[in-house]
Amino acid sequence: MTLEKATRRRGEELENAILDAVWDEISEKGYGGLTYEGVAARARTSRAVLYRRWPTRTDLVLATVARLGRRTPRVAPDTGSLREDMIELLRYSNSHRLGMWVVLSVQLAGFYAETGVTPADLRARLLGDRPSLVPEIVARAVERGEARPDLSERVLRVPFDLFRSEAILRLGPVPDEEILAIVDEVFLPLVRT
């Protein structure tokens, strides 16, 4: 009978296991249910390891959100049409990022109240230094003559602001007809030449 020595996780492998555990705990239990004990058990490590790296729950949440942003792939559609690019981008978010936005908006309500961190602060941490894809898509549309060049940042945020609002209100996927309405009835009339 041979006993295999357990390999101790360190560095990035351990950090990934911990931050995955934090996200899973928040997703299932909300910020109010996030405990060092729960994270340690889920990540199969000790509370001491967590406290050494992240002394507060706030630190745990901020590190988890930053990692989530780094790991979320960017999809920049380039169909040759502003309308189709925006629809594709919103559909991708609907199928791949929706759960993330719902968790950040709903499950972290207590976090915002307790820490003073805002959803906008978390969004900035999530995106890091990666710019939004909408200005890139619109810049291509401007070159093709499909959009005005003088659009404000507020106008460029409209499609995703409406999309997130719909997702939060539904606590689930945004129906395709709503995505089409966001693009056709609101965004395109705002940006067209």
Side-chain angles (χ1 to χ4, degrees), residues 15-29:
E15 185 170 307
N16 287 338
I18 292 167
L19 297 179
D20 284 344
V22 172
W23 184 254
D24 292 343
E25 288 285 301
I26 291 170
S27 297
E28 290 176 17
K29 302 174 183 175

Side-chain angles (χ1 to χ4, degrees), residues 22-169:
V22 172
W23 184 254
D24 292 343
E25 288 285 301
I26 291 170
S27 297
E28 290 176 17
K29 302 174 183 175
Y31 181 71
L34 178 66
T35 65
Y36 278 83
E37 293 80 11
V39 172
R42 191 180 286 257
R44 296 183 333 272
T45 191
S46 71
R47 290 182 319 185
V49 168
L50 300 177
Y51 281 114
R52 271 195 302 273
R53 293 171 187 242
W54 303 283
T56 68
R57 288 192 320 158
T58 301
D59 296 328
L60 272 174
V61 170
L62 294 177
T64 299
V65 169
R67 177 174 173 270
L68 182 64
R70 290 189 304 272
R71 292 187 55 171
T72 302
R74 287 177 44 122
V75 173
D78 189 0
T79 66
S81 159
L82 174 59
R83 179 183 187 271
E84 295 306 314
D85 285 352
M86 289 306 300
I87 289 170
E88 194 172 313
L89 188 60
L90 291 172
R91 284 176 175 160
Y92 179 84
S93 290
N94 207 31
S95 61
H96 293 90
R97 296 183 179 153
L98 183 66
M100 173 182 65
W101 290 117
V102 171
V103 169
L104 291 175
S105 301
V106 177
Q107 295 289 67
L108 289 177
F111 171 78
Y112 300 126
E114 182 179 300
T115 64
V117 173
T118 67
D121 296 332
L122 272 194
R123 181 180 183 275
R125 190 169 288 264
L126 182 73
L127 294 176
D129 59 358
R130 298 177 309 159
S132 166
L133 293 172
V134 176
E136 178 183 323
I137 289 170
V138 171
R140 289 194 307 260
V142 168
E143 289 174 11
R144 292 189 301 262
E146 290 182 275
R148 297 191 331 263
D150 62 342
L151 299 170
S152 69
E153 186 179 317
R154 164 59 61 202
V155 169
L156 297 179
R157 286 196 316 255
V158 164
F160 273 97
D161 287 350
L162 292 173
F163 172 80
R164 277 190 299 272
S165 175
E166 286 291 328
I168 292 165
L169 288 173

